[in-house]
Amino acid sequence: MEKIIEESKQGESLVLDLKAGNTKKLFIESYGCAMNFSDSEIVASILSDNGYNTTQILEEADLVLVNTCSIRDKAEQTVRKRLEKYNAVKRVNPKMKVGVLGCMAERLKSQFLEEEKIVDLVVGPDAYKDLPNLLAEVEEGRDAINVILSKDETYGDISPVRLMSNGITALVSITRGCDNMCTFCVVPFTRGRERSREPQSIIAEIQNLWDKGFKEITLLGQNVDSYLWYGGGLKKDFVNATEMQKATAVGFEQLLETVAVTFPKMRVRFSTSNPQDMHEEVLHVIARHPNICKHIHLPVQSGSNRILKEMNRLHTREEYMTLIDKIRTIIPNCSISQDMIAGFPTESEEDHQDTLSLMDYVKYNFGYMYSYSERPGTLAGRKMEDDVADETKARRLQEIVDLQQKYAWLRSEEFVGQIVEVLVEKISKKSKEEFSGRNSQSITVVFPKEDYKIGDFVNVIIESCTSGTLKGKAVGLSEMN
């Protein structure tokens, strides 16, 4: 999976309404991608039913949990610094228990518990329902660990609490795990094999959100395009399904259409897509329904066929470009964003130029760009020498970032003079007199508040822009209200 890591959200602590009768206090922080933040909502829901209310005061917590990410070395180092802080507090408050959740938990279980002795419990992404049992073990003075990866756990029966305090947008998990063994990625090892969630439980969760006044949901998975429900089980075992199971199976295009039709006034987004698994029918579904946002995050990682093969990306540069052409034809107003890695092992200057030329071809609206960092446990970490010099990685990354900035400006300028529909999400950071929200293409739009309110769908005429923000004036409510 290609993980979108929103830097502004890193280390965000979760706060819930107090539940009467709960006496223990939970402090939970999240790092990494949207899936981690979604998982924290599940954990908080489970613990709320087991006597815990949340707190933002670390020092008063009975239980401190950090939901972790292993996708980049920087994320791991940040979490380690937080664990040092937790343990400093724990020396003053020895009753406090510290636990690690998520991807680092699975990868570094023995180091955390046995060698470094810096945590009391370690819980992998598929074991959150076991938290009450694990906490009982800790209370009795034993370390507790469960990092077993499940073949069927999707948390479809858990009603997550919601991180988004504005009550406007929410994440809805539809798949877990990943079968794409990209050589740079730890996800298949930390989150297990791919399985999909039962469609009716997804619809029920969205219905609950709609009833509570939410206006936009993001269907979330390691790889949403390969969503496949045939009665339960791993996607790789679908070949052994019965004829009836195969005939009644639900793919992503069907799920997406069902959501759009069932909730015509709810905005629908999805993330993340994989080029090799995106079917043309999904594009037609997006084009048919005005409430499905016209934005596709389509990670490519490199523009070089040789490097794509080294990464075990199961698509070529040419196949990716053909898919881009289909998107442009079927959904002309669709924005496209990317993930890109600079300096993958053996990357030559020619390979790097192939990446730049691919960016010239696509002209992405925005992107997430990183220099390669070796992740222990991945095939690249085990088999490939990290042989591109740091200064070369830095220079290539900067050239990618600079080119992306150029095209971000170009794409933003295309909106000037247009009327776009904006879901008002919050007050603008720069001015209390302006609202901020996103248009269908996932571009941030700011405009004067006037008499509108958070949660409104507002038509805004765009008057100016920066590379990442559109600025305009409201011209009325849209038909989505």
Side-chain angles (χ1 to χ4, degrees), residues 1-5 222-225 270-275 278 286 293-301 313 320 323-324 327 334-340 364 366-370 441-442:
M1 175 198 175
E2 295 70 24
K3 297 195 166 191
I4 302 176
I5 297 176
Q222 319 295 143
N223 182 11
V224 290
D225 298 277
F270 58 88
S271 184
T272 294
S273 294
N274 193 303
M278 175 161 270
I286 297 168
C293 290
K294 306 303 184 272
H295 165 238
I296 297 174
H297 183 62
L298 200 62
V300 64
Q301 309 301 355
R313 301 288 288 175
Y320 185 88
L323 179 55
I324 294 293
I327 294 170
C334 189
S335 64
I336 301 172
S337 53
Q338 47 84 350
D339 282 358
M340 209 71 77
Y364 295 99
F366 54 95
Y368 304 88
M369 298 146 285
Y370 315 104
Q441 288 77 17
S442 203

Side-chain angles (χ1 to χ4, degrees), residues 192-453:
R193 299 306 294 264
E194 188 174 311
R195 64 272 189 199
S196 296
R197 182 176 164 192
E198 196 269 325
Q200 286 309 311
S201 76
I202 296 170
I203 298 300
E205 183 176 335
I206 300 172
Q207 181 66 59
N208 179 260
L209 290 166
W210 174 253
D211 293 343
K212 291 178 178 177
F214 283 78
K215 300 295 182 71
E216 178 184 287
I217 53 104
T218 299
L219 302 177
L220 190 66
Q222 319 295 143
N223 182 11
V224 290
D225 298 277
S226 62
Y227 174 90
L228 181 65
W229 174 261
Y230 61 99
L234 299 177
K235 184 183 178 184
K236 73 180 183 66
D237 294 333
F238 181 63
V239 292
N240 301 319
T242 67
E243 291 306 311
M244 178 61 75
Q245 285 176 317
K246 289 179 179 178
T248 56
V250 177
F252 182 58
E253 65 276 11
Q254 294 156 294
L255 176 68
L256 189 59
E257 181 124 45
T258 299
V259 172
V261 170
T262 307
F263 305 97
K265 297 295 186 180
M266 176 85 86
R267 242 195 202 177
V268 183
R269 299 187 186 275
F270 58 88
S271 184
T272 294
S273 294
N274 193 303
Q276 73 210 38
D277 296 308
M278 175 161 270
H279 308 299
E280 185 175 321
E281 182 51 38
V282 170
L283 304 180
H284 290 292
V285 172
I286 297 168
R288 275 198 297 272
H289 298 284
N291 59 326
I292 301 179
C293 290
K294 306 303 184 272
H295 165 238
I296 297 174
H297 183 62
L298 200 62
V300 64
Q301 309 301 355
S302 173
S304 160
N305 277 336
R306 192 184 70 79
I307 293 298
L308 288 171
K309 189 173 181 180
E310 291 291 320
M311 290 176 166
N312 197 36
R313 301 288 288 175
L314 302 180
H315 62 84
T316 64
R317 168 193 177 92
E318 291 74 24
E319 288 167 341
Y320 185 88
M321 292 164 77
T322 297
L323 179 55
I324 294 293
D325 293 343
K326 283 184 179 179
I327 294 170
R328 300 280 189 225
T329 300
I330 297 169
I331 322 168
N333 60 337
C334 189
S335 64
I336 301 172
S337 53
Q338 47 84 350
D339 282 358
M340 209 71 77
I341 296 174
F344 190 78
T346 77
E347 184 186 72
S348 67
E349 200 59 36
E350 182 181 357
D351 296 321
H352 172 59
Q353 291 302 320
D354 283 346
T355 293
L356 297 180
S357 70
L358 179 69
M359 294 178 69
D360 286 331
Y361 185 84
V362 181
K363 299 178 176 64
Y364 295 99
N365 294 75
F366 54 95
Y368 304 88
M369 298 146 285
Y370 315 104
S371 59
Y372 173 75
S373 68
E374 186 179 284
R375 309 311 300 126
T378 61
L379 186 62
R382 296 197 310 271
K383 303 285 188 181
M384 301 178 189
E385 181 185 353
D386 187 3
D387 59 354
V388 179
D390 287 345
E391 57 269 25
T392 302
K393 287 181 186 177
R395 190 255 306 163
R396 290 176 184 170
L397 176 61
Q398 191 59 53
E399 289 177 4
I400 289 170
V401 169
D402 290 346
L403 189 58
Q404 179 54 58
Q405 184 80 347
K406 168 187 169 182
Y407 288 123
W409 270 104
L410 178 74
R411 292 300 187 189
S412 288
E413 287 168 349
E414 292 175 345
F415 286 102
V416 175
Q418 289 188 29
I419 293 176
V420 301
E421 181 186 76
V422 180
L423 172 58
V424 182
E425 296 180 36
K426 57 189 176 183
I427 296 170
S428 171
K429 287 182 180 179
K430 293 188 176 180
S431 170
K432 292 181 180 179
E433 302 306 313
E434 292 182 325
F435 276 136
S436 173
R438 287 176 296 165
N439 66 359
S440 178
Q441 288 77 17
S442 203
I443 311 297
T444 297
V445 181
V446 295
F447 63 94
K449 291 164 73 172
E450 298 182 38
D451 295 326
Y452 300 101
K453 63 184 185 298

Side-chain angles (χ1 to χ4, degrees), residues 31-98:
Y31 293 86
C33 66
M35 184 64 81
N36 274 18
F37 286 83
S38 177
D39 279 0
S40 290
E41 295 172 348
I42 291 168
V43 168
S45 180
I46 292 168
L47 291 177
S48 176
D49 290 338
N50 284 271
Y52 285 88
N53 282 327
T54 54
T55 177
Q56 280 196 303
I57 303 172
L58 175 64
E59 289 74 13
E60 70 178 23
D62 298 291
L63 174 63
V64 176
L65 297 176
V66 57
N67 201 342
T68 62
C69 173
S70 277
I71 201 74
R72 285 190 285 162
D73 183 61
K74 178 184 175 184
E76 286 200 4
Q77 297 308 317
T78 300
V79 168
R80 283 192 170 277
K81 288 179 182 176
R82 291 303 289 160
L83 287 171
E84 290 175 10
K85 168 68 174 176
Y86 301 158
N87 278 280
V89 174
K90 192 176 180 181
R91 284 192 284 274
V92 179
N93 177 16
K95 291 183 179 179
M96 187 177 88
K97 305 301 179 185
V98 175

